[in-house]
Amino acid sequence: MSSLVITDLHASVITDAGESEILRGVSLTVESGTTNAIMGPNGSGKSTLAYVIAGHPKYTVTSGSITLDGADVLAMSVDERARAGLFLAMQYPVEIPGVSVSNFLRTSITALRGEAPKLRTWTKEMKESMADLQMDPSFAARNVNEGFSGGEKKRHEILQLGLMQPKIAVLDETDSGLDVDALKVVSEGVNRFKDATGAGVLLITHYTRILRYIKPDVVHVFVDGRIVETGGPELADSLESEGYERFAVAKA
Amino acid sequence: MAAPPAKDLAPRIYSRNVEDFAVPLGREEEWRFTPISKIKDFFDVQEWASIGCETGSPFVEIVSMDDPRLNDAWLPTDRASAVAREGASQAVLVSIPTETEVAEPIVLQLTSTMLNNYAHIEVQTGAFARAQVVIVHDSSVNVSGSIVAKLGDQSQLTLLSVIDAEEPVRQHWHWASQLGRDAEFLGLSVSLGGGVIRTVPHITYTAPGGSAQMLGAFLLTGQQFQEHRILVDHSEPNCTSNVVYKGALSGEGAHSVWVGDVLVRREATGIETYELNRNLLLDEGPRADSVPNLELETGDVLSAGHASATGRFDDEQLFYLQSRGIPESVARHLVVRGFFVDVLAKVNDEELRSNLMKRIEARLGMVDHA
Ligand SMILES: Nc1ncnc2c1ncn2[C@@H]1O[C@H](COP(=O)(O)OP(=O)(O)OP(=O)(O)O)[C@@H](O)[C@H]1O
Ligand SMILES: [Mg+2]
């Protein structure tokens, strides 16, 4: 059993115009075996929360805490967080010219497992995982995310999720840019991972569409840098029909 | 011998006579980036040794500088190359006879007996010949020299030069590659480290249909200087040229210069040319100058383009890799290695390619501690 505990988290981004606060007191717990959905309007700070959990250097935490099974996540470097069991499927995965997917995955798995996987079993493992996500085997030889379509990038993120087997996974708009068929394939990938590992999932999305495939236990509404309401799966449906207006009003 | 008409980008003087060239002061366009004071002794003939070579190849000979087989048509184009031609007492001559295909790379391990040396290396391919020549420089000594390649009709030559300098050595190298009808030339210049490294590759065509690629990979750390000044002189129709240089730099005082001159003369119709320089700055310290020049005397070309970009290490790439558990130092190596991959991919020989990658990686180990 693992739990990621976020307590009264405040974080800012430094820009040319100075420092501006984006997260304004986020408190949230993600336990193993549960799926938490976060829904909120554009620019409310959802990706910022995901990045701050992963340790992106652009953001500074000004107060609050994040712990994973009691360990201070904020004191860890980005790679230490991953090795501690955190994973972020990014909204905009980064292209890395000249680095092949297979080399990248093998380097990552070696770092996460503490030893290089045996070449034969590894090749098989990678091939099967790619087949599960209906990714053409030729992707292994391509450069990381370079020239991938939006949907291919998301499949590649979920491929990593399945191979890296984190304790807690943050999925930032994994559903955006996917057509219905791809959404199904990717959702199945996430569910396979959940069933196999019993990990905790924090799923960030705009739409309830993905929630028909990946069932959330809890839904949080995220507005203006904090969680303004928490409820069961039915909350997502009311958001879809009513939008976020009532929360904007509540804020004012 | 009559010099070709003087164009802005082409050399003004072609001569074996040292005194035909003034001693560079550093104000001249072609010397303006070079730390002239550090290579002053390269501009007057000295009592220097001549570079030799170890090789297992039957196609290689050491010959005297007046050997009639040396390419008479090649003439030095600046004071340094004229001095090296005058000062050298022997040449390394590689001759690939007509219609001979040499499958294995011909490796020239350059050797020296003194700290300062002149060098003259010539590679000649007969018509329809094919060969790969690998020049492994003696990177512990100072050298001023020329690498002259003459490609016969429809011959194919890959010329790979590796300078991997542990010490702050000074080396100045002219490359002159002349392509015959429909010849294919691939030049690969790998320069790692060094105190002052300056290479001056010139590519010329003696008949239509030639195709030339000149690729470079260079890596510098603090206090090192490298300059790569390329000239492609298109004087024949229906030829192609492709120049790609990539450099990675780190450390206060590291300075690289890339100048890519492409001259397309009026008679060079139907040509294709492209040149690219990308530099990756690994930290705040280094400086990279990048100057592409394209001079077109005819509009009747298939394509002509250039690009140049110098960028800092991409933190987003680093973040992405680290977020997958990869430690920062490993992530940096991956990114830099990836940066050079497309240049090194042109090395056909698998063993050679992985050897080069290993050298770059070894250098990167040094970069981390710079
Ligand atoms: N690096 C940055 N520089 C400047 N502003 C930033 C930066 N990162 C985030 N912001 C700002 O912080 C706010 C929150 O951005 P964030 O990307 O977290 O929102 P989001 O909820 O994920 O939006 P979306 O639904 O569009 O993905 C926005 O106003 C954004 O412009
Ligand atoms: Mg977002």
Side-chain angles (χ1 to χ4, degrees):
Chain A
M1 280 296 286
S2 285
S3 58
L4 178 74
V5 180
I6 301 171
T7 312
D8 194 26
L9 188 71
H10 290 253
S12 309
V13 63
I14 314 282
T15 64
D16 296 339
E19 196 175 312
S20 81
E21 183 169 67
I22 298 169
L23 300 185
R24 304 158 188 262
V26 180
S27 294
L28 172 69
T29 298
V30 185
E31 305 266 6
S32 289
T34 67
T35 298
N36 293 246
I38 288 192
M39 301 184 73
N42 287 126
S44 56
K46 304 181 298 295
S47 291
T48 302
L49 175 63
Y51 276 138
V52 169
I53 295 171
H56 196 292
K58 247 183 343 206
Y59 304 95
T60 356
V61 172
T62 49
S63 68
S65 68
I66 305 178
T67 61
L68 178 64
D69 299 333
D72 182 2
V73 169
L74 295 177
M76 299 178 198
S77 65
V78 176
D79 48 302
E80 283 169 347
R81 294 178 197 209
R83 293 199 296 274
L86 293 174
F87 178 85
L88 167 61
M90 296 189 200
Q91 184 175 2
Y92 303 110
V94 182
E95 299 186 2
I96 308 187
V99 178
S100 71
V101 166
S102 67
N103 184 17
F104 160 65
L105 292 177
R106 197 171 149 78
T107 309
S108 159
I109 291 298
T110 302
L112 291 171
R113 296 183 190 168
E115 59 175 351
K118 295 243 172 356
L119 198 57
R120 246 234 250 91
T121 50
W122 163 246
T123 309
K124 189 162 165 265
E125 188 182 348
M126 193 173 71
K127 270 202 183 124
E128 285 173 1
S129 305
M130 289 176 74
D132 285 343
L133 288 163
Q134 297 179 14
M135 283 177 83
D136 193 272
S138 64
F139 274 92
R142 287 179 58 178
N143 292 336
V144 174
N145 293 321
E146 203 177 57
F148 287 21
S149 72
E152 287 162 353
K153 282 183 180 166
K154 297 302 168 75
R155 282 176 208 232
H156 180 226
E157 293 294 288
I158 300 310
L159 173 71
Q160 295 169 54
L161 173 74
L163 290 169
M164 295 175 192
Q165 307 231 325
K167 293 175 181 156
I168 305 287
V170 181
L171 311 180
D172 189 1
E173 296 205 23
T174 297
D175 53 333
S176 67
L178 297 182
D179 61 30
V180 180
D181 292 336
L183 180 68
K184 248 171 137 162
V185 169
V186 163
S187 302
E188 280 165 16
V190 174
N191 288 331
R192 254 195 318 276
F193 157 74
K194 278 174 38 173
D195 295 344
T197 61
V201 172
L202 183 62
L203 187 143
I204 297 171
T205 183
H206 274 292
Y207 308 103
T208 51
R209 192 176 65 145
I210 192 173
L211 303 180
R212 289 201 285 273
Y213 299 99
I214 305 172
K215 296 276 177 238
D217 301 291
V218 190
V219 174
H220 306 279
V221 183
F222 201 88
V223 176
D224 200 25
R226 61 165 79 84
I227 290 169
V228 294
E229 192 166 318
T230 298
E234 70 290 344
L235 180 54
D237 298 320
S238 77
L239 287 174
E240 178 116 310
S241 51
E242 293 161 28
Y244 299 103
E245 264 153 48
R246 86 183 150 93
F247 301 102
V249 172
K251 181 190 125 196
Chain B
M1 189 183 235
K7 300 292 176 191
D8 279 358
L9 298 179
R12 276 168 188 75
I13 303 166
Y14 291 77
S15 170
R16 285 217 173 129
N17 182 4
V18 171
E19 294 314 320
D20 285 349
F21 302 94
V23 175
L25 300 170
R27 291 195 291 267
E28 305 78 1
E29 172 57 33
E30 62 177 312
W31 295 102
R32 69 187 171 106
F33 292 106
T34 316
I36 290 285
S37 62
K38 291 189 179 164
I39 54 167
K40 270 204 157 67
D41 48 341
F42 284 47
F43 300 126
D44 286 296
V45 179
Q46 321 270 346
E47 288 291 312
W48 286 7
S50 268
I51 285 288
C53 136
E54 278 170 12
T55 181
S57 170
F59 300 101
V60 184
E61 280 174 83
I62 303 289
V63 301
S64 83
M65 288 303 286
D66 47 25
D67 192 292
R69 288 170 297 171
L70 292 182
N71 181 1
D72 237 12
W74 175 74
L75 293 173
T77 52
D78 66 15
R79 179 110 181 171
S81 54
V83 164
R85 174 71 181 73
E86 180 71 25
S89 60
Q90 62 182 29
V92 177
L93 176 63
V94 183
S95 333
I96 314 297
T98 299
E99 291 180 27
T100 304
E101 296 190 9
V102 187
E104 290 295 306
I106 298 168
V107 179
L108 311 178
Q109 177 75 55
L110 301 191
T111 56
S112 59
T113 50
M114 277 169 57
L115 179 60
N116 295 309
N117 306 272
Y118 296 117
H120 189 85
I121 298 167
E122 275 199 34
V123 182
Q124 300 178 0
T125 52
F128 306 102
R130 277 190 194 192
Q132 256 191 79
V133 176
V134 180
I135 303 171
V136 182
H137 291 272
D138 183 339
S139 306
S140 62
V141 295
N142 302 320
V143 185
S144 183
S146 300
I147 301 170
V148 178
K150 188 180 175 194
L151 282 76
D153 293 352
Q154 284 195 47
S155 67
Q156 296 179 8
L157 174 65
T158 296
L159 196 55
L160 166 60
S161 134
V162 183
I163 296 175
D164 186 0
E166 203 62 63
E167 289 156 45
V169 299
R170 302 169 298 142
Q171 297 209 355
H172 194 275
W173 284 99
H174 271 259
W175 290 47
S177 305
Q178 276 179 29
L179 280 71
R181 180 177 297 270
D182 298 330
E184 286 177 34
F185 174 72
L186 169 59
L188 264 156
S189 162
V190 178
S191 319
L192 314 176
V196 177
I197 306 285
R198 189 171 188 267
T199 73
V200 188
H202 284 189
I203 289 168
T204 54
Y205 304 80
T206 55
S211 116
Q213 289 193 71
M214 185 69 220
L215 310 181
F218 53 93
L219 198 73
L220 296 83
T221 57
Q223 301 308 321
Q224 298 179 340
F225 175 86
Q226 285 190 23
E227 177 173 355
H228 304 285
R229 180 174 279 272
I230 300 101
L231 169 68
V232 182
D233 189 343
H234 277 285
S235 56
E236 294 285 340
N238 305 321
C239 295
T240 68
S241 62
N242 182 32
V243 176
V244 178
Y245 271 68
K246 290 195 159 185
L249 296 84
S250 84
E252 197 68 48
H255 182 193
S256 73
V257 178
W258 177 86
V259 179
D261 290 338
V262 176
L263 169 57
V264 182
R265 296 177 191 264
R266 198 168 33 224
E267 51 282 19
T269 53
I271 64 107
E272 281 180 77
T273 177
Y274 185 72
E275 53 168 349
L276 165 79
N277 170 229
R278 280 201 196 296
N279 300 309
L280 180 61
L281 307 184
L282 300 177
D283 53 45
E284 306 283 319
R287 166 177 162 201
D289 290 299
S290 182
V291 188
N293 293 307
L294 177 61
E295 191 174 308
L296 285 170
E297 290 181 352
T298 172
D300 188 8
V301 298
L302 289 182
S303 67
H306 61 74
S308 141
T310 296
R312 297 215 172 279
F313 209 88
D314 186 341
D315 289 336
E316 296 296 331
Q317 293 179 1
L318 213 55
F319 171 71
Y320 189 78
L321 294 170
Q322 280 189 266
S323 77
R324 272 48 176 154
I326 300 171
E328 181 178 345
S329 61
V330 179
R332 280 178 169 269
H333 284 206
L334 269 182
V335 172
V336 177
R337 224 183 292 165
F339 176 73
F340 285 116
V341 140
D342 55 346
V343 168
L344 293 187
K346 294 284 166 67
V347 180
N348 277 328
D349 192 84
E350 173 112 29
E351 207 180 308
L352 260 176
R353 191 172 54 232
S354 81
N355 176 288
L356 283 176
M357 218 27 136
K358 284 209 186 88
R359 283 169 186 267
I360 288 181
E361 277 164 29
R363 287 283 149 204
L364 285 174
M366 221 180 75
V367 169
D368 285 343
H369 304 289

